[in-house]
Amino acid sequence: MANIASALLILVLAAPAAYAATTYTVGDSSGWSTTFGDYTTWVSGKTFTVGDSLLFKYSSTHTVAEVSKGDYDSCSTSNLGKTYTDGSSTVPLSTAGPMYFICPTSGHCSGGMKLAITVVAASGTPSTPTTPPVDDGSTTPPTTSGSPPTTPSTTVTPPPPSKSNNGATSILYNMMLGVFLVFGTTVALMGQ
């Protein structure tokens, strides 16, 4: 009985390794820069989950500001949220929903230094990749009184996993979990 308890203790200690938060470096090796290109493409294929974080790496000519969707769309700097200026800023993703970031340096946002992501709630099951919120210029049509708005149904096919985030952290945690499971099973079997 003591051996089974020992094995269960090992499994309980190893269980937190099953979910490993991911830190995404925005723009990968190019970082947060006017020369990176398209941050919408960078977001494509990534699933941002509560508990993950974004790492912005940038030079002293840039900053990072959290903004509303309206300020993101218009590149307005009049109502900035939390602003980061240290050149290497980690932004924890602590709430599910859309998040918007811009570089408030004059001309940088309109030149492409803007990032929109959607954070999904953490769960015990794998989730499908999300795409950033997109403003395609359409609006919800007005409804007649008494009838609910209609929503077109769409089928979303997730893109293949991104090769820009190699998941080394997840691999390490999964390897540790495997080692603990094998060790725990071995200890339990040896005691019988």
Side-chain angles (χ1 to χ4, degrees):
M1 185 68 167
N3 291 331
I4 293 174
S6 296
L8 287 175
L9 177 63
I10 290 170
L11 289 175
V12 168
L13 292 174
Y19 172 74
T22 302
T23 298
Y24 294 93
T25 301
V26 176
D28 298 319
S29 61
S30 298
W32 184 238
S33 158
T34 53
T35 60
F36 175 72
D38 183 11
Y39 288 99
T40 302
T41 301
W42 177 81
V43 168
S44 178
K46 292 177 175 60
T47 300
F48 302 98
T49 305
V50 170
D52 290 345
S53 58
L54 297 177
L55 174 60
F56 288 86
K57 292 184 177 185
Y58 49 96
S59 70
S60 60
T61 60
H62 305 297
T63 56
V64 178
E66 292 184 46
V67 294
S68 67
K69 180 177 182 351
D71 289 339
Y72 169 86
D73 290 339
S74 65
C75 288
S76 173
T77 59
S78 62
N79 191 23
L80 300 178
K82 187 161 185 174
T83 303
Y84 304 88
T85 60
D86 65 356
S88 182
S89 305
T90 300
V91 178
L93 306 180
S94 56
T95 306
M99 293 183 78
Y100 304 93
F101 303 90
I102 65 170
C103 178
T105 303
S106 180
H108 289 194
C109 176
S110 59
M113 279 189 77
K114 57 196 276 184
L115 174 70
I117 65 168
T118 300
V119 181
V120 297
S123 68
T125 59
S127 58
T128 58
T130 59
T131 55
V134 176
D135 181 13
D136 60 0
S138 66
T139 59
T140 303
T143 61
T144 57
S145 67
S147 65
T150 58
T151 305
S153 67
T154 59
T155 302
V156 178
T157 303
S162 171
K163 293 181 181 177
S164 62
N165 183 3
N166 64 14
T169 303
S170 296
I171 293 169
L172 175 64
Y173 282 111
N174 287 334
M175 287 175 53
M176 288 174 42
L177 177 61
V179 168
F180 282 121
L181 290 173
V182 169
F183 180 74
T185 303
T186 303
V187 169
L189 292 174
M190 287 176 58
Q192 290 183 358

